[in-house]
Amino acid sequence: MNKLVASVAAAALLAIAMPARAAPPTASEAAAFVANAERQLEAQGLESSAASWVQVNFITADTNKLSALASQRLTTMAVQFAADAKKYDGVQVDPVVRRKLDLLKRGTNLPSPKDPAKATELAQLKTELQGMYGAAKWCSPSDIGGEKCIDGNALEELMRRERDPQKLLAAWTGWHAQAKPMKAKYERMVELADEGARELGYSDVGALWRSKYDMPADAFAAETDRLWDQVKPLYESLHCYVRGKLNEKYGDAVVAKTGPIPAHLLGNMWAQAWGDIFDVVAPADADPGYDLNALLKQQGYDPIKITKTGEGFYTSMGFAPLPKTFYERSLFVKPRDREVVCHASAWDLDNKDDLRIKMCMSGTDEDFQVVHHELGHNVYQRAYKNQPPLFRGGANDGFHEAIGDTIQLALTPSYLKQIGLLGAEPDPSKDTGLLLKRAMDKVAFLPFGLLIDRWRWDVFAGRTKPADYEKAWWALREKYQGVKRPVADDADSFDPGAKYHVPGNTPYTRYFLAHILEFQFHKAACEQAGWTGPLHRCTFYGNKEVGKRYNAMLEMGASKPWPEALKAFTGTDRMDASAILAYFAPLKTWLDQQNKGRQCGW
């Protein structure tokens, strides 16, 4: 064999032993991958949404199974696309394609493991936990609430109106006990989801969640700390005042003058908003000047009329009316013949115009507020429907919650007068009452909105072990809220599961961000409307110019990083809590005067 033949033979053998490397992916392949992912995810998402809608409205073993299967298919698909998207990390692509690739990599809240058996188990656990919450009832041995067995919705109503601390304690403990059986399932769900997150390149699910804000995960955590530090002094003043008034009503044996407030006395099952005990803590001269509950009842505001009133605010700003199918397909009241998940939510079932809400309304002022919030989701969903599938979402999840919350802030006496609910606006002497009531809903919520994910971040990261779930939960509630468990600690309890968003696996920091953003949006809208008075008296009902600019932000969807969307409406690209401080500045002065002589903090 001559040298030439020998070298050719050696090269051939080397080629067999060392196969040629695959060509690196190209920009055109990345674009084709994204387009295919969008098509498949949209189709599977619509199927999953339909199955979920049926499941939350008809809770049975069969609907749980169907919803779990659809959810599993969607999650498995999303996780696979997230993993596949990583191979295009080093490819130079169009900025739009790059953003879509990044969204694909972060596209699921609870990523399933690649193992099919584990993926199925995770989907089943997710559905079972949500079903357990929706079907939970507390069967009281007494006549508290007027009937023996009370569901979560009825218990929430009891917490709003009851003032006997013993009955409140019984209701509180009764509901929280319903979550105890969730603990083992939740623990296993965390294990499986963390495995899925690691397979995607994240240390845990919490790190995945924090990565969804157009900034590094640790930078986002620091950003929420910065915002909390801005509003903490206002919260501490409110906490000090409310604790003092509760002490005056119930005495030292129930509420001490110092330390955390027992969680069952704040008018809400989770002590997340305190407005329902306004009658307990308001001074004699702080009557807001009207009773919205009474006005709604007197004027025949049933759930449909309340909903149409909420729709009317948006149409007054230039938004199109809701489709006819909205009123045909939504759930407005709790059915008598079946179990449903009553937690209010907004739905888009076809990414076009099949918009719906799901609520269990009874015609209260809270329903009035919540409808305006939920319709904000629907308006946002329709605004970005012409975006590509991956951009059909909020600029960040806090934006989606803030859209309707901003409208809530504009439900002022002036607005109520314009729609005929109120005969005359209260004079400025009533502003203290109006601000105090709103602060007890909005400001009181802020630390709660922050701590739920703080707890889950530690759980997902393994810093909080299952044996310490309960201890860590209440440590955070005392740290941030100054609220304590009203009965002795029980390490086997699972009080986090008594809040829908934990078994429902909905990230919660979005609500904290929404409460920051809504005031920032409100201030911007009032400035655009030419308002020069106090922010808390401003409404932009009927202002189509504000609506036009609002819609311009909404139409962007998730197509741009959230700072760009924020700047499009507010003129600044940074979240800022100073609008909250400006809104409540008169109240802060008043609270500090009332708190003289009290030992604040906890």
Side-chain angles (χ1 to χ4, degrees), residues 4-75:
L4 177 60
V5 173
S7 63
V8 170
L13 289 172
L14 184 63
I16 294 172
M18 300 180 62
R21 292 182 179 178
T26 65
S28 61
E29 289 172 343
F33 165 76
V34 165
N36 177 59
E38 286 192 298
R39 284 193 300 270
Q40 293 196 48
L41 285 170
E42 181 176 27
Q44 189 58 52
L46 293 176
E47 177 189 324
S48 181
S49 293
S52 181
W53 173 264
V54 173
Q55 186 262 333
V56 297
N57 283 284
F58 301 85
I59 301 174
T60 69
D62 294 324
T63 60
N64 283 348
K65 181 177 180 179
L66 292 172
S67 180
L69 289 171
S71 175
Q72 178 188 348
R73 287 192 289 271
L74 178 60
T75 302

Side-chain angles (χ1 to χ4, degrees), residues 395-417:
N396 67 39
D397 53 10
F399 273 66
H400 229 303
E401 299 300 331
I403 300 309
D405 284 352
T406 302
I407 304 303
Q408 284 184 339
L409 290 179
L411 306 183
T412 60
S414 173
Y415 162 68
L416 298 178
K417 180 183 177 183

